[in-house]
Amino acid sequence: MDTLKLLSRSTGLRKSRQQAQHTTPSSGQPTQPQVLRRVEHVAKPSKKRKRGDHGPSSLDDGLGGLDFFGDAANASSKPAKSPKNDGAEDGDNLEQDQTVSSVEHVVQTPTDEEVRATLKQHKLKVTWLNPMTSQAGPKRKAGNLDDQGYTAPTEVQMGALPLLLDALDRYLDSHGEDSKPVGNMNLLTVAPTGSGKTLAFMIPLLHRVQTRRHGNEAANMNTVSAIVLAPTKELVSQITNEGRKLAKGTGIKVTQMRRGMRLATSQAANGTTDSATVGQDLTVKVDVLISTPGLLHSMLGEEQSSANDSLCNVRDLVLDEADVLLDPLFREQTLGVWNRLSNSKLSVSLWSATMGSNIEELAASTIRDWRSNLSSSDAEAEPEAPFIRLVVGLKDSAVPNVEHRLVYAATEQGKLMGLRQLLHPASTPQGSGTPLLPPFLIFTQTIERAVALHSELLYDIPAEAGGISRIAVLHADLSDTARDSVMTRFRKGEIWVLITTDLLSRGVDFRGVNGVVNYDIPTSSAAYVHRVGRTGRAGREGGVAVTLYSKEDIPYLKHVANVVAMAQKQEGSSSKDSGLQQWLLDALPKLSKQEKQKLKKRGIESRTTRGKDDDPKAARRTRISSKPGFVRQAENNRKGAVLGSQRRAQAEAEAPSEAGDDSDFAGFD
Ligand SMILES: Nc1ncnc2c1ncn2[C@@H]1O[C@H](COP(=O)(O)OP(=O)(O)OP(=O)(O)O)[C@@H](O)[C@H]1O
């Protein structure tokens, strides 16, 4: 069996196949999707960090008995709480409920009874998993979930689904507050990488779209009802795939935004515009639209008037990887789309594994500003939607089920040698941790370095093992078709080593990736969390994350080291395994806020060719090569000499002979 076929999401999680698929370490035990371990012994009493005022919108008190991670047997006891989040760098100015901590971890697969008991004790109504429901829509969706082998929700799904489906209504009822059902709400969720956030937002989204279609809003059918924004094309097509699998048989159209695509306006969809025009315009009728912010924003820019707006019926906006979407890189486009949505019943949800306090503040202020732009009649008719934050586990931390390793390689060439050693696990010295088995991802800082590393390693895989076809590079300068093809081949297991930039660090889910190599260190702690989060997904064990660092990286290593130390603390593993001793952690210099921002924006200067056009020496230093500079210089000289002699020979051959050719002579004028 080709174990690398595991990469394909389409391999599914069917029980029959699971037994045959446990051959690569990180394929793990997919029947237990909990990213955070179940807690057997709770060592420390709960500690709540409270800073600032908590408005009545905080659900912590109301849902105080909820413990998404506790042992079912101890359900009546108080929730297990974690130690203080020392590693989180963001100055989170709101209450942070850190819910998980354990001294001893027990990995157990709960029985069906246990799962049911846990859900019951935690008062969670997870309607989507119940195939016995009488409604056709939910039944269909539950069947679709079943088809994919999902039997138990992950922590984030346990937390978010009841909130987004209907628990909020019950919460308000039980508190004797205004018992009017809350149709819209805003939610900000922070949950670990690979914890199943896609399903956590997609299931309620489809449910709400379907409810609206069955309700009295049928008139608005076929205009866009929900939008999901994600930062990259790869992530957009992955979410579209997931959405389609879930929506199968429900009649809901989940569509990926493409260049040149036009969306049906409310008039066109209601038949005010004749269908022939719609057809000629290549206008598409969509329920759930998935897009990058740039593509949708530019399409909206081309729309002539907002009166006949294609997005006027949008009731749900999901920002996946919200911290990136609201980062300066995408901010203008994301807010451009958000502010264009005019339906007063809009609900917004933001999702990521990392969320700085600045992003949270920006989201809150955007919600306020957006509401203040509603017409006074709309604002009066629609009560202000609650804005809720849900944190699963430790905020901004890397998954603990991955083996994190920091490897000192001294120089650029040392890093290349280190990487070659990883490519040939047989040459890895005994006792140096779990060998890194393919398939794995290698991250570099820039596109140039990804391309250079690819050409360096091209011949490292022996021909008998597939040779150069097993290694590939993927970056934003490639055409869409080339990017799609590399993604498909990697998912199918045809490519074993994929070199890439941060383009693939967010959200992309390759089931069964065994490891991640940071050839260039990530430039922020969030970038580290997301890069290494490409392995160890859905609680799978056996993933390895290796970060190679040179002398040049030492001033910038602290943010990575902090995240690694925190992951080890959660896991209870030894610091020696990771190459991160306490003395190193203490000795690493701390960056100022400005330095951190500069690093995030520009990366490590010596690795970028940007602005080095006038300095060929500096530009040369950014290159990746196993050859020392003097060898390359000698080679260049030799090449130059050969080229020069070829040119001379050619010039001599082309020059007219000294005797000349009289027949060509046209005479003097
Ligand atoms: N309930 C479940 N049971 C088993 N597997 C699940 C469940 N929910 C999701 N998964 C699987 O977990 C993997 C990760 O899911 P997903 O891509 O949604 O993670 P994520 O939280 O969005 O990660 P990231 O932060 O990296 O974007 C997927 O392969 C998905 O199929």
Side-chain angles (χ1 to χ4, degrees):
M1 187 194 70
D2 186 355
T3 53
L4 295 159
K5 286 257 155 55
L6 285 174
L7 279 171
S8 166
R9 289 171 75 89
S10 61
T11 48
L13 283 166
R14 284 163 194 277
K15 279 185 193 156
S16 58
R17 292 191 199 168
Q18 283 167 15
Q19 279 131 16
Q21 287 182 352
H22 290 164
T23 35
T24 60
S26 72
S27 57
Q29 182 61 270
T31 45
Q32 166 55 307
Q34 308 301 294
V35 178
L36 305 157
R37 312 295 167 66
R38 279 158 36 93
V39 178
E40 191 162 277
H41 301 293
V42 178
K44 294 186 182 169
S46 74
K47 229 184 222 177
K48 258 187 185 177
R49 184 147 60 95
K50 287 195 181 193
R51 270 184 275 151
D53 188 22
H54 316 303
S57 64
S58 168
L59 279 181
D60 294 333
D61 295 336
L63 304 177
L66 288 185
D67 171 8
F68 300 131
F69 320 105
D71 193 336
N74 300 323
S76 58
S77 65
K78 287 198 168 164
K81 298 285 170 79
S82 73
K84 211 169 138 218
N85 182 6
D86 302 330
E89 289 190 5
D90 297 303
D92 179 10
N93 65 349
L94 292 157
E95 177 193 86
Q96 195 171 350
D97 214 355
Q98 297 165 348
T99 337
V100 178
S101 169
S102 68
V103 174
E104 285 183 36
H105 300 294
V106 175
V107 183
Q108 282 172 7
T109 305
T111 61
D112 282 356
E113 276 70 36
E114 272 184 313
V115 171
R116 263 195 290 276
T118 309
L119 292 177
K120 198 173 166 198
Q121 280 152 0
H122 297 325
K123 299 180 179 58
L124 293 171
K125 188 186 170 196
V126 190
T127 48
W128 56 279
L129 279 177
N130 183 0
M132 301 309 289
T133 175
S134 59
Q135 282 174 292
K139 192 172 180 176
R140 184 63 252 176
K141 286 200 287 291
N144 290 343
L145 280 169
D146 217 30
D147 286 351
Q148 291 175 61
Y150 300 129
T151 51
T154 62
E155 295 95 340
V156 66
Q157 291 158 8
M158 287 170 97
L161 291 178
L163 276 176
L164 288 169
L165 290 168
D166 65 355
L168 192 64
D169 300 352
R170 287 191 287 121
Y171 165 74
L172 291 176
D173 281 346
S174 64
H175 279 65
E177 294 181 28
D178 181 4
S179 61
K180 191 174 155 197
V182 178
N184 49 335
M185 66 172 287
N186 302 310
L187 178 72
L188 181 143
T189 307
V190 189
T193 51
S195 59
K197 292 187 284 295
T198 313
L199 284 190
F201 65 71
M202 197 46 99
I203 292 166
L205 194 78
L206 296 176
H207 181 71
R208 287 156 71 102
V209 170
Q210 194 159 46
T211 312
R212 294 200 282 271
R213 294 185 81 176
H214 288 160
N216 54 7
E217 296 173 46
N220 294 327
M221 264 171 70
N222 292 327
T223 55
V224 182
S225 181
I227 293 177
V228 181
L229 294 183
T232 61
K233 197 181 87 52
E234 282 72 18
L235 187 50
V236 164
S237 58
Q238 180 181 297
I239 298 171
T240 311
N241 260 340
E242 287 296 304
R244 283 188 181 149
K245 277 191 254 167
L246 280 181
K248 210 164 114 195
T250 61
I252 299 173
K253 288 176 202 136
V254 180
T255 304
Q256 176 175 352
M257 181 82 201
R258 302 216 178 261
R259 270 194 200 99
M261 197 165 112
R262 286 168 55 100
L263 302 168
T265 60
S266 49
Q267 284 167 8
N270 292 333
T272 333
T273 307
D274 75 34
S275 56
T277 319
V278 174
Q280 278 160 19
D281 278 356
L282 295 175
T283 303
V284 184
K285 292 180 178 179
V286 180
D287 294 304
V288 181
L289 181 71
I290 327 273
S291 175
T292 56
L295 209 52
L296 187 53
H297 189 239
S298 68
M299 191 279 294
L300 291 178
E302 287 160 21
E303 257 194 8
Q304 268 140 32
S305 86
S306 59
N308 184 21
D309 202 332
S310 52
L311 302 185
C312 62
N313 290 320
V314 173
R315 293 270 305 269
D316 289 283
L317 172 66
V318 174
L319 305 184
D320 193 17
E321 307 299 341
D323 53 333
V324 161
L325 293 180
L326 294 175
D327 201 60
L329 188 66
F330 292 106
R331 190 177 293 167
E332 198 190 320
Q333 300 154 342
T334 305
L335 295 184
V337 173
W338 187 340
N339 288 322
R340 185 69 182 264
L341 306 179
S342 54
N343 194 305
S344 59
K345 290 187 169 74
L346 180 73
S347 295
V348 182
S349 63
L350 302 98
W351 305 77
S352 184
T354 51
M355 198 78 79
S357 53
N358 58 331
I359 299 296
E360 202 164 299
E361 279 157 24
L362 178 64
S365 69
T366 309
I367 290 169
R368 272 195 308 274
D369 295 347
W370 176 88
R371 194 173 156 76
S372 67
N373 287 336
L374 289 179
S375 70
S376 53
S377 57
D378 274 351
E380 257 171 47
E382 210 47 58
E384 192 177 343
F387 185 26
I388 292 168
R389 171 160 44 86
L390 169 71
V391 179
V392 177
L394 284 182
K395 209 163 159 259
D396 302 333
S397 62
V399 274
N401 51 322
V402 168
E403 185 185 318
H404 299 267
R405 260 186 252 158
L406 291 179
V407 179
Y408 180 60
T411 60
E412 275 294 315
Q413 279 166 43
K415 289 202 307 189
L416 201 52
M417 280 159 64
L419 183 57
R420 288 214 154 99
Q421 207 168 43
L422 290 171
L423 276 173
H424 304 283
S427 64
T428 311
Q430 286 264 313
S432 53
T434 318
L436 185 62
L437 300 175
F440 59 86
L441 289 161
I442 303 176
F443 286 99
T444 63
Q445 183 177 300
T446 62
I447 295 178
E448 288 96 334
R449 286 174 67 81
V451 173
L453 189 59
H454 177 237
S455 54
E456 265 296 326
L457 299 179
L458 209 51
Y459 300 102
D460 271 58
I461 297 179
E464 315 85 72
I468 58 171
S469 68
R470 296 293 189 198
I471 186 159
V473 62
L474 194 146
H475 53 77
D477 277 359
L478 294 178
S479 69
D480 283 0
T481 332
R483 277 162 74 167
D484 286 347
S485 147
V486 172
M487 287 291 281
T488 314
R489 285 172 52 222
F490 192 56
R491 285 195 197 285
K492 279 190 186 161
E494 290 167 15
I495 294 170
W496 293 357
V497 180
L498 182 55
I499 303 166
T500 184
T501 60
D502 276 322
L503 178 80
L504 283 198
S505 68
R506 292 260 180 175
V508 181
D509 181 55
F510 299 114
R511 198 174 282 166
V513 161
N514 287 321
V516 167
V517 179
N518 289 316
Y519 187 80
D520 292 334
I521 63 162
T523 52
S524 67
S525 47
Y528 181 80
V529 169
H530 287 277
R531 279 186 184 184
V532 302
R534 295 316 99 207
T535 182
R537 297 179 73 72
R540 290 178 181 87
E541 299 286 338
V544 182
V546 182
T547 303
L548 299 166
Y549 67 100
S550 67
K551 217 158 57 184
E552 275 179 333
D553 294 321
I554 291 174
Y556 313 107
L557 199 65
K558 183 97 175 176
H559 59 262
V560 174
N562 279 339
V563 181
V564 172
M566 182 50 66
Q568 279 169 349
K569 212 164 156 189
Q570 281 190 74
E571 178 65 5
S573 63
S574 157
S575 57
K576 273 186 235 134
D577 303 342
S578 66
L580 181 67
Q581 266 91 350
Q582 188 59 39
W583 64 264
L584 177 62
L585 202 58
D586 296 339
L588 288 172
K590 230 178 151 182
L591 290 182
S592 68
K593 207 172 167 191
Q594 274 108 335
E595 284 169 325
K596 270 190 201 167
Q597 274 166 359
K598 193 172 163 214
L599 179 68
K600 195 174 158 205
K601 206 166 157 196
R602 295 188 55 86
I604 293 172
E605 280 297 336
S606 60
R607 307 224 161 102
T608 169
T609 47
R610 219 176 320 138
K612 291 183 183 151
D613 297 343
D614 304 336
D615 187 356
K617 246 187 177 172
R620 258 203 311 274
R621 274 200 297 273
T622 66
R623 285 190 199 145
I624 293 176
S625 173
S626 50
K627 289 174 199 154
F630 69 89
V631 176
R632 265 183 299 171
Q633 196 178 7
E635 272 181 9
N636 279 348
N637 290 348
R638 225 179 2 257
K639 260 191 226 158
V642 172
L643 220 67
S645 91
Q646 278 171 352
R647 265 196 227 114
R648 274 195 304 277
Q650 201 179 358
E652 275 166 23
E654 282 169 7
S657 67
E658 287 207 345
D661 188 350
D662 286 355
S663 60
D664 285 337
F665 183 61
F668 296 107
D669 235 357

PDB file of all heavy atoms in Angstrom, residues 463-478:
ATOM      1  N   ALA A 463      16.989   8.029  -7.791  1.00  0.00           N
ATOM      2  CA  ALA A 463      16.091   7.770  -8.922  1.00  0.00           C
ATOM      3  C   ALA A 463      15.165   6.590  -8.635  1.00  0.00           C
ATOM      4  O   ALA A 463      13.989   6.592  -9.013  1.00  0.00           O
ATOM      5  CB  ALA A 463      16.908   7.507 -10.172  1.00  0.00           C
ATOM      6  N   GLU A 464      15.698   5.563  -7.924  1.00  0.00           N
ATOM      7  CA  GLU A 464      14.863   4.364  -7.652  1.00  0.00           C
ATOM      8  C   GLU A 464      13.642   4.744  -6.815  1.00  0.00           C
ATOM      9  O   GLU A 464      12.623   4.066  -6.835  1.00  0.00           O
ATOM     10  CB  GLU A 464      15.627   3.277  -6.854  1.00  0.00           C
ATOM     11  CG  GLU A 464      17.023   2.950  -7.301  1.00  0.00           C
ATOM     12  CD  GLU A 464      18.034   3.913  -6.699  1.00  0.00           C
ATOM     13  OE1 GLU A 464      18.304   3.831  -5.497  1.00  0.00           O
ATOM     14  OE2 GLU A 464      18.549   4.757  -7.462  1.00  0.00           O
ATOM     15  N   ALA A 465      13.778   5.832  -6.028  1.00  0.00           N
ATOM     16  CA  ALA A 465      12.652   6.234  -5.169  1.00  0.00           C
ATOM     17  C   ALA A 465      11.774   7.271  -5.848  1.00  0.00           C
ATOM     18  O   ALA A 465      10.907   7.858  -5.215  1.00  0.00           O
ATOM     19  CB  ALA A 465      13.190   6.773  -3.849  1.00  0.00           C
ATOM     20  N   GLY A 466      12.018   7.527  -7.109  1.00  0.00           N
ATOM     21  CA  GLY A 466      11.178   8.492  -7.818  1.00  0.00           C
ATOM     22  C   GLY A 466      11.920   9.764  -8.189  1.00  0.00           C
ATOM     23  O   GLY A 466      11.406  10.577  -8.954  1.00  0.00           O
ATOM     24  N   GLY A 467      13.123   9.945  -7.600  1.00  0.00           N
ATOM     25  CA  GLY A 467      13.983  11.075  -7.971  1.00  0.00           C
ATOM     26  C   GLY A 467      13.316  12.418  -7.882  1.00  0.00           C
ATOM     27  O   GLY A 467      12.568  12.697  -6.933  1.00  0.00           O
ATOM     28  N   ILE A 468      13.574  13.231  -8.912  1.00  0.00           N
ATOM     29  CA  ILE A 468      13.124  14.620  -8.841  1.00  0.00           C
ATOM     30  C   ILE A 468      11.599  14.774  -8.798  1.00  0.00           C
ATOM     31  O   ILE A 468      11.103  15.811  -8.399  1.00  0.00           O
ATOM     32  CB  ILE A 468      13.703  15.481  -9.997  1.00  0.00           C
ATOM     33  CG1 ILE A 468      13.321  14.896 -11.356  1.00  0.00           C
ATOM     34  CG2 ILE A 468      15.187  15.636  -9.892  1.00  0.00           C
ATOM     35  CD1 ILE A 468      13.693  15.833 -12.489  1.00  0.00           C
ATOM     36  N   SER A 469      10.878  13.734  -9.182  1.00  0.00           N
ATOM     37  CA  SER A 469       9.414  13.883  -9.160  1.00  0.00           C
ATOM     38  C   SER A 469       8.877  13.910  -7.730  1.00  0.00           C
ATOM     39  O   SER A 469       7.731  14.252  -7.491  1.00  0.00           O
ATOM     40  CB  SER A 469       8.758  12.745  -9.935  1.00  0.00           C
ATOM     41  OG  SER A 469       8.963  11.541  -9.237  1.00  0.00           O
ATOM     42  N   ARG A 470       9.717  13.512  -6.766  1.00  0.00           N
ATOM     43  CA  ARG A 470       9.259  13.428  -5.371  1.00  0.00           C
ATOM     44  C   ARG A 470       9.403  14.740  -4.616  1.00  0.00           C
ATOM     45  O   ARG A 470       8.986  14.850  -3.462  1.00  0.00           O
ATOM     46  CB  ARG A 470      10.063  12.357  -4.610  1.00  0.00           C
ATOM     47  CG  ARG A 470       9.871  10.965  -5.131  1.00  0.00           C
ATOM     48  CD  ARG A 470       8.471  10.518  -4.875  1.00  0.00           C
ATOM     49  NE  ARG A 470       8.284   9.104  -5.166  1.00  0.00           N
ATOM     50  CZ  ARG A 470       7.112   8.559  -5.344  1.00  0.00           C
ATOM     51  NH1 ARG A 470       6.020   9.291  -5.282  1.00  0.00           N
ATOM     52  NH2 ARG A 470       6.998   7.286  -5.591  1.00  0.00           N
ATOM     53  N   ILE A 471      10.066  15.698  -5.239  1.00  0.00           N
ATOM     54  CA  ILE A 471      10.313  16.955  -4.536  1.00  0.00           C
ATOM     55  C   ILE A 471       9.775  18.112  -5.388  1.00  0.00           C
ATOM     56  O   ILE A 471       9.902  18.099  -6.606  1.00  0.00           O
ATOM     57  CB  ILE A 471      11.830  17.077  -4.205  1.00  0.00           C
ATOM     58  CG1 ILE A 471      12.109  18.288  -3.355  1.00  0.00           C
ATOM     59  CG2 ILE A 471      12.728  17.054  -5.397  1.00  0.00           C
ATOM     60  CD1 ILE A 471      13.423  18.176  -2.602  1.00  0.00           C
ATOM     61  N   ALA A 472       9.132  19.054  -4.746  1.00  0.00           N
ATOM     62  CA  ALA A 472       8.526  20.158  -5.516  1.00  0.00           C
ATOM     63  C   ALA A 472       8.542  21.442  -4.705  1.00  0.00           C
ATOM     64  O   ALA A 472       8.783  21.423  -3.493  1.00  0.00           O
ATOM     65  CB  ALA A 472       7.098  19.804  -5.898  1.00  0.00           C
ATOM     66  N   VAL A 473       8.295  22.524  -5.419  1.00  0.00           N
ATOM     67  CA  VAL A 473       8.247  23.826  -4.758  1.00  0.00           C
ATOM     68  C   VAL A 473       6.904  24.472  -5.074  1.00  0.00           C
ATOM     69  O   VAL A 473       6.384  24.317  -6.179  1.00  0.00           O
ATOM     70  CB  VAL A 473       9.458  24.699  -5.207  1.00  0.00           C
ATOM     71  CG1 VAL A 473       9.454  24.976  -6.684  1.00  0.00           C
ATOM     72  CG2 VAL A 473       9.508  26.014  -4.441  1.00  0.00           C
ATOM     73  N   LEU A 474       6.338  25.165  -4.079  1.00  0.00           N
ATOM     74  CA  LEU A 474       5.056  25.840  -4.308  1.00  0.00           C
ATOM     75  C   LEU A 474       5.128  27.249  -3.718  1.00  0.00           C
ATOM     76  O   LEU A 474       5.475  27.422  -2.553  1.00  0.00           O
ATOM     77  CB  LEU A 474       3.928  25.062  -3.632  1.00  0.00           C
ATOM     78  CG  LEU A 474       2.516  25.458  -4.079  1.00  0.00           C
ATOM     79  CD1 LEU A 474       1.615  24.239  -4.060  1.00  0.00           C
ATOM     80  CD2 LEU A 474       1.909  26.528  -3.228  1.00  0.00           C
ATOM     81  N   HIS A 475       4.869  28.241  -4.550  1.00  0.00           N
ATOM     82  CA  HIS A 475       4.896  29.628  -4.063  1.00  0.00           C
ATOM     83  C   HIS A 475       3.952  30.481  -4.897  1.00  0.00           C
ATOM     84  O   HIS A 475       3.421  30.033  -5.924  1.00  0.00           O
ATOM     85  CB  HIS A 475       6.326  30.180  -4.109  1.00  0.00           C
ATOM     86  CG  HIS A 475       6.986  30.031  -5.437  1.00  0.00           C
ATOM     87  ND1 HIS A 475       6.689  30.855  -6.475  1.00  0.00           N
ATOM     88  CD2 HIS A 475       7.890  29.130  -5.889  1.00  0.00           C
ATOM     89  CE1 HIS A 475       7.404  30.480  -7.523  1.00  0.00           C
ATOM     90  NE2 HIS A 475       8.144  29.429  -7.196  1.00  0.00           N
ATOM     91  N   ALA A 476       3.792  31.718  -4.468  1.00  0.00           N
ATOM     92  CA  ALA A 476       2.761  32.573  -5.075  1.00  0.00           C
ATOM     93  C   ALA A 476       3.105  33.019  -6.489  1.00  0.00           C
ATOM     94  O   ALA A 476       2.222  33.491  -7.213  1.00  0.00           O
ATOM     95  CB  ALA A 476       2.544  33.785  -4.189  1.00  0.00           C
ATOM     96  N   ASP A 477       4.357  32.885  -6.933  1.00  0.00           N
ATOM     97  CA  ASP A 477       4.709  33.306  -8.289  1.00  0.00           C
ATOM     98  C   ASP A 477       4.332  32.273  -9.350  1.00  0.00           C
ATOM     99  O   ASP A 477       4.442  32.529 -10.537  1.00  0.00           O
ATOM    100  CB  ASP A 477       6.219  33.591  -8.382  1.00  0.00           C
ATOM    101  CG  ASP A 477       6.535  34.988  -7.887  1.00  0.00           C
ATOM    102  OD1 ASP A 477       5.579  35.705  -7.507  1.00  0.00           O
ATOM    103  OD2 ASP A 477       7.727  35.362  -7.867  1.00  0.00           O
ATOM    104  N   LEU A 478       3.945  31.084  -8.907  1.00  0.00           N
ATOM    105  CA  LEU A 478       3.545  30.056  -9.884  1.00  0.00           C
ATOM    106  C   LEU A 478       2.133  30.355 -10.390  1.00  0.00           C
ATOM    107  O   LEU A 478       1.352  31.028  -9.709  1.00  0.00           O
ATOM    108  CB  LEU A 478       3.551  28.674  -9.231  1.00  0.00           C
ATOM    109  CG  LEU A 478       4.886  28.104  -8.782  1.00  0.00           C
ATOM    110  CD1 LEU A 478       4.677  26.748  -8.115  1.00  0.00           C
ATOM    111  CD2 LEU A 478       5.838  27.933  -9.965  1.00  0.00           C
TER     112      LEU A 478
END
